[in-house]
Amino acid sequence: DFTLDQRLVLLNYKAWFQLEAKQFSNAMKTLVTYKHLAEKSTKQSLMYGYYNILAGVYIKLNLHALALEHLAEALKYSALLNDDIKNQTLSNIGEVYFALNMLDEAEQTFRRYIDYLDKANKPLDTVIATVNLAKTLIAKQQYSEADTLLTDIVKVIELHQFHYLLAESYLLMAQIQHAEQHYSLALTLINQSLAIFTEQNLIIDQHKARFELAKIYAAMGDNERASLALSQITNDDTRNDDLLFIANVYEFESQLFEASGLNKLAIASFKKHSAAEKELIKRQADVNLAKALAEAETNEKEMQIAELTREKQLKTQRATAFKNLALSVAISLVIICIGSIFAISNILKRKQHLSNTLIKLEKTQTNLIEAQKIASLTVLVSGMAHQLNTPIGTATTAITYIAENLQQLEHK
């Protein structure tokens, strides 16, 4: 009973859960479904979730170039949401810049984000962004500015009791002291960081702190302690899914063994380093394959749906055409019937009219015959009258003349 947008919200949370649970292949499948539905929504901003979470998957898999590409797309859609999301996306882009060793771009991005946070009054986000900026400055070997930033931000961290970030800051400060060869102070800071991570039971962060500890011992020439610190990482049964980190640990351990003349151990560690890299590549390939298969499956379903829709449309069209044809035939039949009735009526009327006309003609013919008879009689009578009138006239004249002559004769 969920609407399209509600389903998208649920899929967004599901994909985030799968990302955090490192179920990358499942996350990819969920995201493909998410994108397919988001393209049908009227809310374009929902596409932000697809690109942002997909970038998160790529970051976890150390595919930072792909992550940067998708965060750039997410940034476009973040403008449809709000300034917080837009600037948080910029911060994520800064972290990817850092991972890609694009340090100038990372520094610029983090400084821009910090300027925004200073106005927004968000101490936690400000601390995180400052720590990221300090990390970038350390990578650029700008140790003095990085140390000043961390010293100032530690006060804010202690004020708000952001314990995890305090340990992270100590770890970065130890890296600065390590770079400046202040090994004693570096060890103190590492141990302070390690104590906080241990207290909070953050195993992976403990491993990262011990890795830095091993590097410091190695720089001091104490390979035995360095190896011990590394063994605490490699012998830990706790699962660490950061394969790039594990690969780096074994690579460093291999170099350490080699420097100590322990060639067999060095080779064994290097093999583990290679195995971790291969596993990372395999995981990357599996996730990309899962995405490709999910897209292919979605496309196939789309094609099937399109085909079924087309068949349904054809059936509907055929039914409509048949209905229209039947209606047309019925209308034609009605028209033919009406036309036939009208034609028959006209024929009957014309027949009646013709019948009446025939009667009139017959009467006229009779009248004409009578008229012709009368005319013929008239001509006959006139002819005979003419024939009689002359002799009668002549006889009358002769009689009159004789009578006059007789009277004259009698008179005489």
Side-chain angles (χ1 to χ4, degrees), residues 369-385:
I369 292 171
E370 291 297 325
Q372 285 178 356
K373 288 179 180 180
I374 293 171
S376 299
L377 183 59
T378 301
V379 171
L380 177 62
V381 171
S382 297
M384 290 182 68

Side-chain angles (χ1 to χ4, degrees), residues 155-396:
K155 297 175 184 177
V156 179
I157 293 172
E158 290 175 340
L159 177 64
H160 293 280
Q161 298 183 351
F162 300 146
H163 300 296
Y164 172 81
L165 292 170
L166 182 61
E168 187 77 13
S169 299
Y170 284 152
L171 194 59
L172 292 175
M173 293 168 76
Q175 291 177 5
I176 295 172
Q177 299 304 321
H178 177 191
E180 294 181 342
Q181 298 183 0
H182 300 152
Y183 299 128
S184 178
L185 182 54
L187 289 173
T188 300
L189 290 166
I190 284 286
N191 286 324
Q192 288 177 323
S193 173
L194 191 56
I196 296 172
F197 288 142
T198 303
E199 181 183 355
Q200 295 190 349
N201 196 31
L202 301 172
I203 305 299
I204 294 175
D205 294 289
Q206 292 177 42
H207 290 168
K208 291 179 180 178
R210 289 193 176 97
F211 191 31
E212 290 298 325
L213 189 63
K215 291 178 182 179
I216 294 172
Y217 282 135
M220 294 170 61
D222 193 342
N223 291 349
E224 185 177 347
R225 287 189 177 182
S227 297
L228 180 61
L230 290 174
S231 66
Q232 289 179 300
I233 301 172
T234 56
N235 294 334
D236 192 344
D237 293 333
T238 304
R239 183 174 177 80
N240 190 331
D241 287 312
D242 190 346
L243 292 173
L244 182 61
F245 172 76
I246 294 298
N248 290 336
V249 168
Y250 281 122
E251 183 180 26
F252 184 77
E253 186 180 56
S254 175
Q255 294 170 355
L256 195 64
F257 284 142
E258 186 179 6
S260 301
L262 302 172
N263 295 327
K264 289 185 178 180
L265 293 177
I267 292 172
S269 294
F270 189 79
K271 286 181 179 179
K272 292 177 182 178
H273 157 75
S274 299
E277 284 192 334
K278 288 179 181 178
E279 179 62 24
L280 176 59
I281 293 170
K282 180 179 179 299
R283 184 178 295 179
Q284 293 170 344
D286 288 345
V287 169
N288 284 326
L289 179 61
K291 181 173 181 288
L293 289 174
E295 288 174 343
E297 183 179 352
T298 301
N299 291 334
E300 184 180 358
K301 287 181 180 178
E302 278 295 296
M303 290 176 64
Q304 290 176 351
I305 291 171
E307 182 65 23
L308 290 173
T309 303
R310 191 177 69 84
E311 289 179 1
K312 184 177 180 180
Q313 289 175 343
L314 285 174
K315 288 180 181 178
T316 304
Q317 289 175 355
R318 288 170 184 167
T320 304
F322 180 77
K323 182 179 178 181
N324 291 336
L325 179 61
L327 184 61
S328 299
V329 170
I331 292 172
S332 299
L333 289 173
V334 171
I335 292 172
I336 291 170
C337 290
I338 294 172
S340 299
I341 292 170
F342 182 75
I344 292 170
S345 177
N346 284 339
I347 291 170
L348 291 174
K349 287 180 180 178
R350 290 183 66 186
K351 183 178 179 182
Q352 184 65 36
H353 179 71
L354 289 173
S355 178
N356 293 335
T357 302
L358 183 61
I359 292 171
K360 288 180 181 179
L361 286 173
E362 289 176 350
K363 287 182 179 179
T364 302
Q365 187 180 19
T366 302
N367 291 334
L368 286 173
I369 292 171
E370 291 297 325
Q372 285 178 356
K373 288 179 180 180
I374 293 171
S376 299
L377 183 59
T378 301
V379 171
L380 177 62
V381 171
S382 297
M384 290 182 68
H386 176 71
Q387 295 294 327
L388 292 173
N389 189 46
T390 301
I392 290 172
T394 302
T396 300

Side-chain angles (χ1 to χ4, degrees), residues 136-148:
T136 305
L137 293 173
I138 292 171
K140 294 179 72 174
Q141 298 183 358
Q142 298 177 11
Y143 301 124
S144 178
E145 185 180 358
D147 189 54
T148 302

